[in-house]
Amino acid sequence: MLASMLKEHQAKQATRKDQQEKRRKEATVAALNVTKALVGNVNNRVSLAYTNEKRLDAEARQLQANAAQFAKQSMQWLSLLQVFSMFQQELGDVENWAKSIEVDMLTISSALEYALKDT
């Protein structure tokens, strides 16, 4: 009877060991699955962040190029405006010179008319 109880106890221990081993393997598989899921999620987020960073870098480079081009065009426009302003000023100077000559010619004409009337 003692021997049968010992065998029964050993059988139960073996069954418990098998169950524990089975549960340990299931827990290991579950832990691996959770780890893979977490790593996959983190990798997806990191990949998305990296993709966004690359896109932002490309857009920043494009913006910088556009800003440089805009600055260059602005400088060209300013240069053209300065040239235009200079020519406009010169035209004003020519206009004033023409008016001055016109006044002088009117004065001379008046003097000649006055001189011709007296003779």
Side-chain angles (χ1 to χ4, degrees):
M1 173 160 169
L2 195 54
S4 69
M5 284 177 70
L6 180 63
K7 284 183 182 181
E8 187 179 320
H9 174 69
Q10 287 176 345
K12 283 182 181 180
Q13 272 188 331
T15 304
R16 284 186 190 145
K17 273 188 176 182
D18 289 341
Q19 286 177 348
Q20 278 184 334
E21 187 63 28
K22 181 180 175 185
R23 287 181 185 154
R24 187 186 62 77
K25 286 180 181 179
E26 287 174 355
T28 303
V29 168
L32 285 173
N33 289 338
V34 167
T35 303
K36 284 180 184 179
L38 289 174
V39 168
N41 189 17
V42 169
N43 282 342
N44 286 341
R45 289 182 182 185
V46 168
S47 175
L48 180 63
Y50 179 73
T51 302
N52 288 341
E53 182 183 7
K54 282 177 59 177
R55 190 177 67 209
L56 285 174
D57 285 344
E59 288 178 10
R61 275 187 253 112
Q62 183 64 38
L63 180 62
Q64 188 175 17
N66 289 347
Q69 183 180 7
F70 178 71
K72 182 179 176 184
Q73 286 177 344
S74 296
M75 293 304 291
Q76 288 173 343
W77 276 104
L78 284 173
S79 175
L80 285 173
L81 265 167
Q82 287 173 348
V83 169
F84 177 74
S85 178
M86 184 182 69
F87 282 134
Q88 189 177 17
Q89 186 177 7
E90 287 178 7
L91 283 175
D93 290 345
V94 169
E95 184 180 0
N96 287 337
W97 175 77
K99 283 182 183 178
S100 175
I101 287 184
E102 183 181 8
V103 168
D104 289 346
M105 295 305 270
L106 287 174
T107 304
I108 291 171
S109 173
S110 294
L112 286 175
E113 284 179 12
Y114 182 74
L116 284 174
K117 282 184 186 176
D118 286 343
T119 57

